[in-house]
Amino acid sequence: MNKQGAKKSSNLFVFIFLFMFLFNSRTSHGGEIELLLSFKASITDPFHFLSSWTNSSASIICKWHGIACDNSSHVSSIELSGKNISGTITSSIFQLPYIKNMDLSNNQLIGESPSINFISSWFLRYLNLSNNNLTGSLPSSLFSISFSHLETLDLSNNMLSGKIPDQIGLLSSLKYLDLGGNVLVGKIPNSITNLTSLESLTLASNQLVGEIPEDIAQIKSLKWIYFGYNNLSGGIPKGIGELNSLNHLNLVYNNLTGQIPESLGNLSNLRYLFLYQNKLTGPIPHSVFGLKKLVSLDLSDNSLSGKIPELVIQLQNLEILHLFSNNFTGEIPKALASLPSLQVLQLWSNRLTGEIPKELGKHNNLTVLDLSTNNLSGKIPDGLCSSGRLYKLILFSNSLKGEIPKTLNSCISLSRVRLQNNRLSGELSSEITKLPLVYFMDVSSNEFSSRIDNRKWDMPALQMLNLANNNFSGQIPDSFGSYKLENLDLSDNHFSGYIPIKFGSLTELMELKLSNNKLSGKIPEELSSCEKLVALDISHNQLTGDIPASLTNMPVLSLLDLSENQLSGEIPKNLGKVQSLLQVNISHNHFHGSIPSTGAFLAINASAVAGNNLCDHSGISTNILPACKRTNSPTWLLILICFLVALAAFLLSAFLIVFLRRRKSMMQKKVESEDGIWELHFFDSKASKSFTIDDILSSAKEENIISKERSGITYKGNCRGNGMQFMVKVINQAHSSSLNLWPEIVEFGNLRHPNIVKLIGIFRSGKGGYLVYEYANERRTLSEILRNLSWERRRKIAIGIAKALKFLHFHCSPTVFVGEMSPEKVLVDGKDVPRLRLSPPALVCTDTIGFTSSVYVGPELRNSKDITEKNDVYGFGLILIQLLTGKSSAGMEWGIHKSMVEWARYCYSDCHLDTWIDPVMKGHALNIHNEIVETMNLALRCTAGDPTARPCAGDILKTLEAVTRRTSSCVSALKSSSPV
């Protein structure tokens, strides 16, 4: 037996020797170099971070960028986070045998994770592949006993799918596990409770179902639990209360039911408790108010009930308390006034009664207070702004009474004030009309009185002011101290006097409501200068005079209500000609004559024209109004007028014919070449003197190709005479029939806008045609330069495209559609000015079959050939998403999401901004967080499945510019408040 044992031992040593020999041979430095270079070859490195990774520098592998080595000069660490690298990730990088730390996070790497083969490694401690575009199920090779020394595993914010494997419990050394921001399904495996060393566990933003494992109490070292944004059900396990080290508990946006466990009161180290957006019921356990380290408590959007106890006084470190959208009753606890760190208090939409605690704010650090939509009574406390930091005060829809406290009138930190639907009274003090940061003020539906024109209004940030349904009197002030005003509602008061002429200087005004007052005088013509005005309601006043003809030219006016006044005269014939005007009410005035034959009056309701002396000249609306009687004018006068008009027309025509013939001979030509007779039409006088048909034909060569599209190939060309460069697009055979619509194409060529590439000529013969565009050396397509742009530059490009769309949709008659609104059609110059390269409408209309498969057209176009402006808006929305995320809509896999739009919608609603913003912009994202979020919101509205839900181009431009202004104001405020 001894001999046999010795023999076995000897064989074992031989085996170990051979294994180590082979292992070391395979993993020599040359092998590591080969693996690293293989990884480099599979990815794209736009900023050349890996330029030092070459065969010639193999001897200094440990000095390669992002590489660190151990004492034996083996690669032990790879740090390539946020390097903007992209491409398909291969297994080679995971074959390094001595690797301890690997961080490839915050890049654009793609690949099916099951195809990634992780070599067994006893050395690997840290693995971070977060914020990439990995797809497929979790790699099975990773969840094995071979990786039992792994301490950190972060696969968050990819597009990984499938279930969490039961084998996850084998990673017994894990301290940090983050699988959030994917599309994982199924239940949380109970084996996860075997990870007894775990300190941080994140499974948020997936599609997990079922209950939270009861045995989670076994993971005693847990400090962080984040299971939010899933579909988890059942109750909150009582065992969570045994996790004494827990610092952060987040179970938001699930379907959790039952009561909050009393055991949570044992979490003595808990600082953050987030349970909002669930289906929890019952009262808040008194034990929760014993969590003395609690900084933020959010139990909002549940069905919790009962009273908020005075025990809240124990939470002396509390900064944020959100209990809104529940069923709490009783009074607001006075103890809240004694929490020195309290900054944000939101209790809105409950059934709270009684008065607001008189001491609230005096000993707090309040910045936000929202107690709206309750049954509160009494007066507004005078200490709410004692911190000097209160910027949001929202108390609407209660039964508050009395005056606004003087201390609030001078609260210069305020920016948003909503006190409507109460019983407040008194006057608006002269101090409150000078608050410099207030952009939104609504005190409507109260009992305020007195004049408002006897004090200075100096509110430079004001965008929305609503004083409606009060008892204000006197004249309307000429100015409210702001040129940013967008919405002004002074209706249902006792204002008298004239409508201020200076309202014409409010160029941002979109809604003006002055109805139900005692205003007199004429409607100011200056109101037509408010070109963004959408709604004008000046009904139920004592206005006199005519309707100013200038009102007929307001480009976006949608609602016009002039009813119940003393207006007279005839209705301007062009009123309603603007397509945007949908609702008109001119009833109960003294108008006479015929109603206009414009769109707004063709289907008008009888009640909207009643109470006048009007008739119908066109005969279309005789069921509403009587037909107009014809009057016989003297025959000789009519003949004289006709003669004079004819003579003037003849003289004018003769002049125009002479002028146009001279011009036409230059701008229109017919030339003969080997290919037959060509018809040339120029839209640029310089080009008409420079171009020849040979310049165009000689440009169509392979080496000159700029782009290939379904409608034709675009080449770069040069004039032989003066070297002038141009782009020429060949109209392919499939679209040659559209050349028969020559007049439409010629009309299109006259379009001029700074954000549209200028068409300088069109040529056609029996064999085909060419479109010739201006060319600029520094211009490149948006898709080529996107990844290298800062947010400021991207924003400028987005606004420029929006301006072009607004011009095409609102200022061109007939409306011009882009068709396929893609980044390849956006050319950007060295100053970041974007220009759309358009095809004539005749080409777009014949190309619907070709581009319905494109991701840049609205889904409705796949079932219809009718192109509308809403289709262009959809494509613009996709471009916005690309500007925000840096991702391309083409050639990407979106996991379980069918498209980029669906993926973006999921990310916006369920993921943190850091998970979807382009990594290039992350360093700057903190300063522009709100702007990024609002822009993504706009992008998702633009890509709504229902075309009618998408905004128009004008609203898009307005939103982008408004968001930009708000960001600029915030940045300026931060700079001005920072110490010198």
Side-chain angles (χ1 to χ4, degrees), residues 321-336:
L321 178 60
H322 286 175
L323 301 179
F324 56 84
S325 292
N326 279 289
N327 297 314
F328 291 118
T329 55
E331 297 186 353
I332 297 174
K334 296 180 176 59
L336 287 174

Side-chain angles (χ1 to χ4, degrees), residues 153-157 164 168 175-182 184 188 192 198-206 208 222 224-228 230 248 250:
L153 176 59
D154 191 346
L155 303 178
S156 62
N157 302 318
I164 302 173
I168 196 167
K175 294 181 179 179
Y176 181 97
L177 175 61
D178 191 346
L179 303 179
N182 287 289
L184 300 173
I188 301 173
I192 208 166
L198 208 56
E199 296 179 3
S200 177
L201 175 57
T202 297
L203 304 176
S205 298
N206 282 289
L208 300 173
L222 269 177
W224 176 290
I225 295 178
Y226 186 13
F227 291 169
N230 280 290
H248 185 113
N250 189 328

Side-chain angles (χ1 to χ4, degrees), residues 529-577:
S529 299
C530 303
E531 294 187 352
K532 296 182 180 180
L533 198 63
V534 174
L536 175 59
D537 186 353
I538 49 179
S539 63
H540 294 83
N541 280 289
Q542 300 166 16
L543 300 171
T544 57
D546 298 334
I547 299 176
S550 58
L551 291 187
T552 64
N553 298 319
M554 300 185 75
V556 294
L557 190 64
S558 176
L559 182 149
L560 177 63
D561 194 342
L562 309 178
S563 61
E564 301 280 355
N565 277 289
Q566 312 272 330
L567 299 170
S568 57
E570 294 190 353
I571 312 297
K573 292 181 179 180
N574 288 329
L575 186 64
K577 187 176 182 181

Side-chain angles (χ1 to χ4, degrees), residues 918-963:
D918 190 340
V920 173
M921 304 190 296
K922 278 191 177 179
H924 188 45
L926 185 63
N927 297 329
I928 55 171
H929 179 278
N930 289 342
E931 181 179 359
I932 294 292
V933 170
E934 289 187 56
T935 306
M936 178 59 93
N937 179 275
L938 173 64
L940 295 180
R941 286 194 288 129
C942 290
T943 53
D946 179 4
T948 60
R950 299 171 198 159
C952 65
D955 289 341
I956 290 171
L957 178 59
K958 173 190 162 301
T959 301
L960 287 173
E961 290 178 336
V963 169

